Amino acid sequence: MRDAATGWGRGALRTGLLAWTLTTLLLVLWGATPHAAAASSMQMHGALHRDGAVGIISHRGAAAIAPENTLAAMRVAIDRGVEFVETDVQLTADGVPILMHDPTLDRTTSGSGPVALRSFDEIRALDAGSWFSPEFAGEVVPTLEEFLDALEPSTTRALVELKGEWAIEQLEAVTELLRSRYMVNRVALQSFETPTLEGLQQVAPEFARVLLTREWDEGTVQQATELQVSAVGARTKLYDRRPELLQRLRAVGIGSLVYTLNTEKRWDQASRRGVDLVVTDDPVRLAVWRDAA
Ligand code: G3P
Ligand code: CA
């Protein structure tokens, strides 16, 4: 029988109602999942999980090939087309996010003293390449924005480590910058600091997060689950203690990465162990090894 006003039969109405109910139910369930914010963040979550060969995370740009955390190092990884390039971010005294690993300027620039006590202009005037090789003299400390400029036209994703503890307002500012650059599907944020990961969960849940850990036991799996991270990262020696916990993580939908491996023996061990991604200073050699395997 057809409804006079709509021309729909009762069967069609019933089917439509059922489809609507199921869709609504799915949306509600979807909204209740930890990584539900947007399709793009799900893509990032998926990129941190590998079924076949290990994924490559090029460490501090490509620290074996060019001075760490400079644009020259970032370009090596991006040009090689690796899955992820890793970098470290800190704030200058005047609040500019820059790429820098150490809390002080001494090792990787011509300057000295704590990063957090120097303005961006002061840091920008330093040489960040000569310590590595004269060939890189004149490299500067890049801003996070300059890194995003280099990343944007590529297919490589970034694993951005927020060094130290970040206040909520600082997290809001950095994630707003990433959002304004449409980087939800391109950048995952990692940290050793629980409060920083909790802050990210609060202010920017749509960004995939990675827990870096110096502990490796049942509590780590529990912590990773509570923090709703996409992956956990640790050193090989930590995983050596209880390799079976990697499968426990995988069983609850959390991936794993191991840092920082630069030999074929270690890459092979990580691969056999079922680690999803390997952090390396030499993405070129790892890619050749992986392609030959
Ligand atoms: O990706 C993990 C790794 O970067 C953490 O160690 O000291 O190189 O920042 P670190
Ligand atoms: Ca790092």
Side-chain angles (χ1 to χ4, degrees):
M1 190 180 159
R2 284 181 173 273
D3 181 284
T6 63
W8 284 31
R10 285 217 175 113
L13 275 173
R14 258 199 306 273
T15 308
L17 191 62
L18 186 64
W20 179 85
T21 308
L22 281 173
T23 307
T24 306
L25 189 65
L26 278 173
L27 283 172
V28 168
L29 287 173
W30 184 255
T33 61
H35 306 287
S40 54
S41 68
M42 290 300 286
Q43 287 174 32
M44 176 55 93
H45 179 76
L48 289 161
H49 296 246
R50 307 269 304 183
D51 283 328
V54 291
I56 298 174
I57 301 173
S58 198
H59 189 226
R60 305 185 196 173
I65 300 172
E68 65 180 58
N69 284 325
T70 61
L71 290 182
M74 299 303 151
R75 280 190 213 103
V76 171
I78 291 169
D79 292 349
R80 189 66 182 75
V82 296
E83 286 80 28
F84 283 89
V85 59
E86 192 263 359
T87 188
D88 307 285
V89 170
Q90 296 183 55
L91 297 174
T92 62
D94 46 349
V96 179
I98 56 165
L99 309 192
M100 174 76 58
H101 179 273
D102 294 5
T104 60
L105 297 160
D106 303 54
R107 183 178 63 86
T108 59
T109 75
S110 52
S112 63
V115 175
L117 297 184
R118 300 277 187 275
S119 70
F120 174 65
D121 286 347
E122 285 176 294
I123 291 175
R124 186 60 155 201
L126 304 173
D127 183 322
S130 294
W131 69 273
F132 185 84
S133 153
E135 186 195 335
F136 292 100
E139 280 293 324
V140 293
V141 175
T143 63
L144 175 59
E145 284 223 70
E146 288 167 333
F147 169 58
L148 299 179
D149 290 340
L151 189 73
E152 197 163 18
S154 77
T155 56
T156 296
R157 290 184 160 102
L159 193 52
V160 171
E161 181 176 352
L162 301 179
K163 280 291 183 199
E165 276 196 34
W166 285 53
I168 287 292
E169 316 81 69
Q170 294 170 331
L171 293 173
E172 281 171 342
V174 78
T175 52
E176 190 46 42
L177 167 65
L178 296 172
R179 264 189 217 112
S180 71
R181 299 292 303 262
Y182 302 102
M183 287 286 160
V184 177
N185 181 34
R186 303 292 305 283
V187 171
L189 295 163
Q190 63 174 356
S191 176
F192 281 101
E193 313 297 331
T194 304
T196 299
L197 290 168
E198 286 169 343
L200 285 169
Q201 207 175 354
Q202 184 188 325
V203 303
E206 74 272 36
F207 283 92
R209 299 173 299 281
V210 173
L211 166 67
L212 295 173
T213 183
R214 298 185 183 93
E215 312 284 328
W216 185 240
D217 52 26
E218 301 287 342
T220 315
V221 178
Q222 176 72 21
Q223 185 190 19
T225 307
E226 284 168 10
L227 289 168
Q228 298 176 347
V229 293
S230 293
V232 168
R235 291 188 186 279
T236 299
K237 278 191 175 167
L238 221 54
Y239 290 145
D240 284 346
R241 289 185 205 160
R242 296 194 54 190
E244 80 282 0
L245 287 181
L246 288 168
Q247 303 312 317
R248 289 276 312 286
L249 275 181
R250 181 166 278 242
V252 292
I254 297 174
S256 57
L257 58 93
V258 58
Y259 64 88
T260 301
L261 310 184
N262 294 319
T263 65
E264 292 189 4
K265 188 177 159 201
R266 289 293 189 198
W267 299 333
D268 188 53
Q269 182 195 38
S271 177
R272 287 172 195 280
R273 195 166 261 181
V275 167
D276 293 282
L277 298 119
V278 168
V279 181
T280 184
D281 293 318
D282 194 337
V284 177
R285 274 184 48 240
L286 176 49
V288 169
W289 175 85
R290 184 178 68 174
D291 292 349

